[in-house]
Amino acid sequence: MLDQVEEWLRHRSWSAADRPLPDLLEAKRRGGVTVSVVLPALDEEETVGEIVTAIRRDLVEAVPLVDELVVVDSGSVDRTAHEAAAAGARVVHRDEILPRLPTEPGKGEVLWRSLLATTGDVVCFIDSDLRAFDSAFVSGIVGPLLTEPDVAFVKAMYDRPFDTESGSIPAGGGRVTELVARPLLNLHWPLLAGFVQPLGGEYAARRTLLERLPFPTGYGVELGLLVDALGLVGLDALAQVDVGVRHHRHQDAQALGRMAATIYRTALERLKTPEETVRSELVQFTRTEAGFTPSSTEVATVERPPMASVPEYRARPGAVAREVCPHP
């Protein structure tokens, strides 16, 4: 590990318990900072309501840490929107945001559009499939952005067990992280080798940074944002916070293969020289009556431009905002 990364781990890695809520509230009041929490959701009726309920109960009603709680529905066919609204979130459909622009499939598209549907100086993203959710996921990763003026981007870190019907395998989750993302980062962006969960969907950042970053529309969004944030503000402006344990729904091997291919191609887009091209197809195999049958999936890497370049974003009320907490 690079000496710079070891030093970063010592002074930019914290626990959620390091910043009690009263301290965060005082820092928030003193800085005049507003906080938006965004949950991207697609067919998450079983879990989204519980997450919204916990955030609203603990961080809106008990203490005023979160100013805006928004669920962006990306086309659910179940009761996701109903459950989220009943629990107290403002629900916005992805297609209602920036309607002149046809939507692309993928989580990154939802996160990008959410910048137009929210107003907070700090934006916190939380996945909607988490189980046994603890509101410390939010307060933990928002905390450094309220108390550390030089921090601009914070990722959650956590244990990630693999939960099955027969039991739980400690540290068995995060297979794409360990097999794809971590090797890529260590080999090509070694300054990011200290991130425990580089692909985790729980992170917070200053709006003034997010609006300057391109957003890959699919599964590559987490790696893309992390790499691009490093390039824009430097390692010392990035941080991570231990929030405990993350329980969520796991995907099958073929779905993970498609995710891995998208993440790998997102990385290649940031490494390639102008004359290089990357093939955009993944071939996978399924056993059928005829034997192993191939199927092809396009590995799309559509990227949305920095939101600050979008006319509708620049024209929104309060668009000319002050820099709440300066960062590099």
Side-chain angles (χ1 to χ4, degrees), residues 21 25 35-39 47-71 82-91 126 133-139:
L21 278 175
L25 291 173
V35 176
S36 297
V37 175
V38 172
L39 279 71
T47 51
V48 69
E50 178 184 342
I51 298 171
V52 170
T53 295
I55 297 171
R56 187 165 188 83
R57 180 192 63 229
D58 297 343
L59 303 178
V60 177
E61 297 170 352
V63 298
L65 185 71
V66 172
D67 302 284
E68 192 174 35
L69 179 53
V70 179
V71 170
H82 176 272
E83 295 296 329
R90 176 164 63 91
V91 179
I126 300 291
F133 178 77
D134 189 329
S135 59
F137 271 65
V138 173
S139 58

Side-chain angles (χ1 to χ4, degrees), residues 58-135:
D58 297 343
L59 303 178
V60 177
E61 297 170 352
V63 298
L65 185 71
V66 172
D67 302 284
E68 192 174 35
L69 179 53
V70 179
V71 170
V72 183
D73 187 351
S74 59
S76 299
V77 296
D78 64 2
R79 289 169 58 84
T80 291
H82 176 272
E83 295 296 329
R90 176 164 63 91
V91 179
V92 182
H93 195 282
R94 173 200 61 193
D95 297 350
E96 297 171 353
I97 307 169
L98 201 60
R100 71 165 174 83
L101 192 66
T103 57
E104 292 286 340
K107 177 185 177 182
E109 177 82 351
V110 176
L111 300 183
W112 182 71
R113 288 177 186 258
S114 76
L115 296 180
L116 260 169
T118 56
T119 60
D121 303 310
V122 168
V123 182
C124 174
F125 298 122
I126 300 291
D127 280 350
S128 297
D129 65 342
L130 304 187
R131 303 180 185 278
F133 178 77
D134 189 329
S135 59

Side-chain angles (χ1 to χ4, degrees), residues 160-165 167-175 246-251 256:
R160 196 172 180 181
F162 186 78
D163 298 319
T164 68
E165 293 181 359
S168 181
I169 304 172
R175 290 162 288 173
R246 184 188 199 267
H247 297 276
H248 66 111
R249 183 184 66 250
H250 298 284
Q251 301 194 56
L256 293 178

Side-chain angles (χ1 to χ4, degrees), residues 11-33:
H11 78 280
R12 283 292 187 253
S13 293
W14 297 289
S15 166
D18 292 336
R19 293 176 175 81
L21 278 175
D23 294 352
L24 296 186
L25 291 173
E26 174 58 24
K28 181 176 184 287
R29 183 200 61 77
R30 189 169 57 248
V33 181

Side-chain angles (χ1 to χ4, degrees), residues 229-248:
L230 173 69
L232 196 58
V233 297
L235 181 61
D236 200 52
L238 313 182
Q240 61 185 349
V241 174
D242 186 350
V243 297
V245 181
R246 184 188 199 267
H247 297 276
H248 66 111

